[in-house]
Amino acid sequence: MLTALFLWLINLTRRGRNLWRRLLRRRVAYVRIPISGALPEFAPALPWWAQRFFGAQAPLSLSELRRRFEWMASDPQVRGVVLDIGTLTCGWATIQSLDQDIRRFRERGKLVVARVTNPDTKAYVAACAADRIVAPPASLLTVTGLYTEVRFLKDALAKVDVRAEVTAVSPYKTAGDPLARSEMSPENREQIERLLDQRYATIVEMIADARRKSVEDVRTLIDAAPWSARGAQEAGLIDAVLYEDELPAFLATHTGASPAKLPEIAEWSQAHRALRLPMLRHHRRLIGVVPIEGTIAPGPSRQIPLPIPLIGGEIAGSESIVQALREAERNPRIAAVILYINSPGGSAFDSDLIWREVRRLDRRKPVVAVMGDVAASGGYYVASGARAIFAQPGTVTGSIGVLIVRLVFDGLVRRAGVNTVAIGRGANSAFFASDAPTEQERLATRALIDESYAMFRQRVVEGRSMPEETLEPLAGGRVWTGSEARERRLIDNVGGMPEALLKAQELAGLPRDRTAPLALIQGGRRHIAPQPFPEEPSKTLLEALALVRQPQVWAVLPFFE
C-alpha cells in the first residue's frame, strides 16, 4: 500500500514537471549522442566526489544507451538521433548488440543518422545500422577488412636463457603458444583462420544488407579501401559528405521540414531536460544481474593498471562474484538472475567456485547466462552452470580446456653468476621452483591437468545435458563463434541482454517486458555464508589449489583479436 502511494506521488510529480516543460516550450527534435570506446554492457560506478568536484563521467554503456533510446522512442516530439561514431575498442559481439539496439529504435519510427570521421572497419559496420551515414569532406574510410597477428616470444626469451614449459590438454589450447613456440602451430592457424573467415563473412553481409549491395560488390569495395569521403559516397558506402554545421539542413531535407526553420540538434545533457518523463511502474519482483568481466582470479574484483596477460587489466574476483550470487539468492525481490559474462577465463579453481554458486542459485532461482564479446574457457566454465545461455553470433566462446604455463629461469640465473644450493624433502618438493622441472614433476603436472580437464568436461556434460562422446570433439581448447556454439548446442540461443532478460522473466513466471528495470548486484564487503544445499560439494584435486603458493591451472582463451 505504501509503495503504491509512493509511486502515485512520484508519477503525480512527473506529470506536473511534464506540464511545466510544455509551458516553457522546451522542445527537442534531434539528439546528438557520441559513441566511442569500449561500450561496456554496464558502466563502472564513479564515486560522487569524482563527479562533483572533478567532472568525471562514466563511459557510455550499452544498458545506458538502451535506456536513452527507450526514453526518446516514447516521446513523440523526438524525430531521431545523430550518432557521432568515433573509435570503437569493443569486440564484434558488442557491435552486433549495438546494431540490434539501433534497429529497434528505428522500428519505433525514429530517424538515425550516423556521423563518422575517419572510420575503421568496426566503426563503419556500427554506422551501417543507421538510416543514413554522413562524413566530413576530409574523412578517410579505412574499411580495409580484418587483420590479426600473434607475436611468439620463444626465441626472444632464449636470448636471456629463459624458456616456458606449457602443459595443455591438446594442441588447440594455445594460450601458452606465444611463450613456448617460435611459430604458429597448424591447429592454431586453422582455428584463427576459421574464426576470421566467419567474422569477415558476417561483416560483409551486414554491410551488404545495410547498403543494399551484393556480397560480391562489398568484398570488392573492401579490397579497394581505404576510401576518401567523396569516393565512398560515389561507391554508395555513405549517403552524404558534409560538415557538422550542415547537418541541420541535411536533416530538414530528409524529414520534409521547412528549410526556413532548420531543426536543432541538442546534446543529451540538454535534451533529457526537455524529454517527457515516463511514468513509473511498480515491479514487485526484479531480475538481478551479476557481471563477470575480466580475467577470473582469486579475491575481490578489481582493476590492475598493467597490460600483462593474466595479471593486469580488469580482474573478475571470485570472492566478489560468489558474494553477489549469494546476495541475489537471499534477496526475496530477485526472481531470477542474469549472469553477464565478458571474460576470456582465468583460474580454473576460481571458475569452479563460481560455477558451484551458479548451480546452487539455479536450484532456487533461474539463472540465465548472456555472453559479451568473449566468454571462453573459464568464462564458459561458469556459464555452463546456468539454465540457459545466450550469445551474439560474433561472441568468442568454447575453449573448453586447461593448461599450466611454467617459466624456467635456470639458464638466466647461471648467466648472472648465481650459484643455487637446493635442499628439500619429498620427490616433488621443488615443484614450484623456477629451475628446470624433473620428469617426475612433469608427470605430476600432467596428472593435475588431466584431473582439472576431466572436471571441466563433467561440468559441461552436466550443464548442457550432453553425452561425453558428443562433447569431446568440441572441447580440447577449441574456440567457437556464437553461431557455431548454437549449432553445436554449447549455447541455447543467439541474442544479447534484452533477449536474456525476456528469457529470465519467462523462467521466473514474470510478464515479458524489455523495459523492466534490472538490479545490478556486484557483491558487498560482508561475507555471506552459503545456504544449506542438499548436495555435498565434491572433494576433488581442484579444491586443493586454494592453498597459497600453489600453481594456477589456467582455463583461459588464447590472446587473439
Side-chain angles (χ1 to χ4, degrees), residues 275-298:
L275 294 176
R276 180 185 299 172
L277 295 169
M279 297 299 106
L280 298 181
R281 292 173 295 155
H282 177 53
H283 294 81
R284 292 183 179 275
R285 306 186 72 201
L286 301 172
I287 304 298
V289 178
V290 175
I292 301 177
E293 300 188 82
T295 302
I296 297 172

Side-chain angles (χ1 to χ4, degrees), residues 72-100:
M72 291 185 292
S74 64
D75 194 328
Q77 69 171 313
V78 177
R79 298 178 187 173
V81 298
V82 175
L83 301 178
D84 269 4
I85 300 179
T87 301
L88 294 171
T89 58
C90 56
W92 286 100
T94 297
I95 297 296
Q96 289 172 325
S97 292
L98 176 63
D99 180 276
Q100 293 162 4

Side-chain angles (χ1 to χ4, degrees), residues 206-223:
M206 291 176 72
I207 296 174
D209 178 65
R211 305 307 300 175
R212 296 179 177 84
K213 295 182 178 296
S214 69
V215 168
E216 293 74 19
D217 286 344
V218 172
R219 289 181 181 271
T220 300
L221 291 171
I222 291 175
D223 289 341

Side-chain angles (χ1 to χ4, degrees), residues 203-470:
I203 289 169
V204 169
E205 289 172 6
M206 291 176 72
I207 296 174
D209 178 65
R211 305 307 300 175
R212 296 179 177 84
K213 295 182 178 296
S214 69
V215 168
E216 293 74 19
D217 286 344
V218 172
R219 289 181 181 271
T220 300
L221 291 171
I222 291 175
D223 289 341
W227 291 87
S228 67
R230 295 291 181 190
Q233 183 184 18
E234 293 171 3
L237 291 173
I238 64 175
D239 297 285
V241 177
L242 47 82
Y243 290 104
E244 187 174 2
D245 60 277
E246 297 175 302
L247 262 176
F250 176 81
L251 293 173
T253 302
H254 285 77
T255 57
S258 170
K261 188 177 181 181
L262 299 179
E264 294 185 5
I265 303 172
E267 300 294 324
W268 175 256
S269 58
Q270 302 167 326
H272 82 274
R273 296 189 179 95
L275 294 176
R276 180 185 299 172
L277 295 169
M279 297 299 106
L280 298 181
R281 292 173 295 155
H282 177 53
H283 294 81
R284 292 183 179 275
R285 306 186 72 201
L286 301 172
I287 304 298
V289 178
V290 175
I292 301 177
E293 300 188 82
T295 302
I296 297 172
S301 296
R302 56 206 183 272
Q303 186 80 29
I304 299 179
L306 294 173
I308 302 175
L310 306 180
I311 298 175
E314 193 166 11
I315 301 297
S318 61
E319 182 181 312
S320 298
I321 297 165
V322 164
Q323 293 305 306
L325 292 167
R326 291 178 185 176
E327 210 174 291
E329 181 183 2
R330 293 196 172 202
N331 190 330
R333 290 198 63 198
I334 300 299
V337 171
I338 295 174
L339 201 64
Y340 175 73
I341 306 169
N342 194 20
S343 169
S347 162
F349 170 72
D350 291 280
S351 298
D352 190 67
L353 294 183
I354 298 170
W355 171 88
R356 176 63 174 180
E357 293 300 323
V358 172
R359 294 298 289 174
R360 273 188 358 91
L361 175 59
D362 190 64
R363 291 290 184 94
R364 292 178 169 89
K365 300 176 181 182
V367 178
V368 176
V370 57
M371 298 174 169
D373 292 319
V374 56
S377 205
Y380 186 80
Y381 196 128
V382 299
S384 67
R387 197 173 302 188
I389 305 176
F390 284 77
Q392 290 289 11
T395 297
V396 176
T397 188
S399 192
I400 299 168
V402 293
L403 78 161
I404 289 180
V405 179
R406 177 174 183 166
L407 290 175
V408 181
F409 296 97
D410 57 330
L412 178 62
V413 170
R414 285 195 302 270
R415 177 193 282 193
V418 177
N419 181 34
T420 304
V421 178
I423 302 174
R425 299 292 185 274
N428 294 332
S429 61
F431 191 78
F432 312 121
S434 59
D435 291 339
T438 66
E439 191 57 37
Q440 185 165 342
E441 289 167 351
R442 290 192 179 98
L443 292 174
T445 299
R446 171 52 65 180
L448 184 67
I449 284 290
D450 291 344
E451 179 82 14
S452 302
Y453 182 45
M455 176 178 285
F456 195 164
R457 292 200 314 272
Q458 185 56 39
R459 302 310 191 213
V460 179
V461 165
E462 178 185 336
R464 303 304 301 162
S465 300
M466 182 183 293
E468 177 77 30
E469 56 271 18
T470 302

Side-chain angles (χ1 to χ4, degrees), residues 103-159:
R103 291 179 185 279
R104 273 193 287 264
F105 182 69
R106 288 173 54 190
E107 289 169 2
R108 303 282 290 272
K110 308 296 184 180
L111 178 72
V112 179
V113 175
R115 180 174 177 269
V116 295
T117 53
N118 301 323
D120 59 6
T121 304
K122 195 172 287 184
Y124 178 74
V125 172
C128 282
D131 294 282
R132 301 285 187 274
I133 304 175
V134 302
S139 289
L140 189 66
L141 277 75
T142 55
V143 188
T144 53
L146 298 177
Y147 172 81
T148 190
E149 60 183 22
V150 183
R151 291 187 173 92
F152 294 91
L153 305 178
K154 178 182 177 181
D155 295 339
L157 292 174
K159 291 181 178 180

Side-chain angles (χ1 to χ4, degrees), residues 504-522:
Q505 291 168 336
E506 175 191 322
L507 293 174
L510 301 178
R512 289 165 59 90
D513 181 6
R514 286 182 184 271
T515 64
L518 294 169
L520 189 62
I521 308 170
Q522 295 181 301

